[in-house]
Structure formats: structure tokens, C-alpha cells
Amino acid sequence: MVIDMIALPEWSPDLVAERAGRSGRRAETSRYLQDLFCAACLRSRSSKPVVDHSNNRNLVMTKIREVVVVSDPTNHGALVCRVGDSQFTVGGPDGAGRISTGPNPYDLLSASLAACTAMSIRFQARRQRLPLERLEVGVSFRHGAQGERDSFARTLVLGGELDAHQRALLLEAANLCPVGRILGIGAAINTRLDATASGHSPSTQASYEDDLAQLPIPNITPD
């Protein structure tokens, strides 16, 4: 099906003359012809058939990928995260005095940033054909001191015969990773290259269990 987004007026000398007011106003006539030309270009672009890819399973990127977290009644109500064909248990307090094993939500945030950083660095290294032989990204989430923002401490270990310029390129790729740009809106991301110790500000490691316990939710003990 062809969709015409713009209906063009039929062009004729009389129409141009009428638009120009028959007074020799060449500038207005020229603008009108330009308007007609632009509209024709837009109609030409919109005249291409609209292709429906909704049933094409090969176009994976067009699908909406949803992460689902459900409770598991067979395991004391533990939360299970499902992503496509993969699933894992989400750690953290269950509200009944037990701590479920597995990565808690803060761990998952850190894992997301670490994985995206590693992918961005690897992508840059392959595109630029850099001799990156080994890559390690460590991330931890920290609460800021009084009046300071929370932060992610990110450590990069880059192995290979890389010079200073090449390392700078990979560090730039790390700072441009999509997840980092999203998380950086609410928290600082402090990055150290080839560090063996954190060396960041003396902020405290964030505890998801402690933060969850401080939520203003009344504790009602059933009779």
C-alpha cells in the first residue's frame, strides 16, 4: 500500500502568476516554486511501499525484550528473573527474615554497567583493530558522603601491547557506553584504568538489604 502524506496542488503558469499577484514579484514566485519542489521531494519519499516487519523473526532488534521477575512459591517465594530463555534467582531479603541467594538489585545494576562497558570497549578495539588481548571490568555501587551523589566505582584492566593513545581510545569508549549514560543521570561514575585498588572517595559500599529495611513501610506482624 502506498501512502501519500502530502497532497500537491497542480502546477500551472496561471497558478504561479496568481500566487505572485501578477505583479512581477519574482522573489515570492521563487519561494512558491521552492515550496512545490520540497513538497514533491517529500511525496516522492513517502511514495515507497510501507513494509511490515512485525512477522519477520530474523529482525531481532525490532522485538521488545522484556525482563520479568516472578515469585517462586516452591522456593519460599524467592524472586526469579527471566530474560528470554535465561533465568536466575534474584537475591535479597524476602520480608520474612530470610536472604535469598543470588545477585541483588544493586548487584544487577553494577553487572549491567560492567557488561555494557566491556562490550563497548571490545567493540572499539575490534573496530580500530587494537591489540586488546584481555579485558576486565569491575564495578561496585557506593553511597555518597553527606551531600554528595551516589557513585559507581569502575575499574578497567586492559591487557595487550597498547600504547597511551590506544588506551585513551578504549577509555573513551567505556565512558560512552549506553548503560553508563543512563545511570550517570542519577549517580556519578568514577573510572580508574588498570588499577589494583579502588582508591576512590571514602564513600561506603551500598547495602541493598539496609536500604530496603529503611523504606517507610510499616511493619505489621500478623496475629
Side-chain angles (χ1 to χ4, degrees), residues 70-80 89-101:
V70 298
S71 60
D72 182 5
T74 64
N75 187 21
H76 306 289
L79 297 178
V80 177
T89 302
V90 179
D94 62 359
R98 290 183 294 267
I99 302 295
S100 300
T101 60

Side-chain angles (χ1 to χ4, degrees), residues 162-181:
L162 299 164
D163 58 31
H165 176 66
Q166 291 171 334
R167 290 177 179 272
L169 287 177
L170 296 180
L171 178 60
E172 180 183 7
N175 291 329
L176 292 176
C177 85
V179 171
R181 298 179 68 177

Side-chain angles (χ1 to χ4, degrees), residues 114-193:
C116 187
T117 299
M119 290 182 182
S120 299
I121 292 175
R122 185 178 60 184
F123 178 79
Q124 176 77 315
R126 291 180 175 177
R127 184 173 59 180
Q128 300 291 334
R129 297 183 179 180
L130 304 180
L132 178 66
E133 298 177 358
R134 179 175 175 270
L135 171 62
E136 180 178 326
V137 181
V139 174
S140 61
F141 180 58
R142 302 165 182 268
H143 284 315
Q146 187 66 28
E148 296 183 357
R149 300 174 72 195
D150 292 345
S151 65
F152 291 90
R154 179 171 58 183
T155 302
L156 309 181
V157 178
L158 307 177
E161 298 297 326
L162 299 164
D163 58 31
H165 176 66
Q166 291 171 334
R167 290 177 179 272
L169 287 177
L170 296 180
L171 178 60
E172 180 183 7
N175 291 329
L176 292 176
C177 85
V179 171
R181 298 179 68 177
I182 295 173
L183 296 180
I185 297 175
I189 300 177
N190 303 315
T191 304
R192 289 176 60 85
L193 189 60

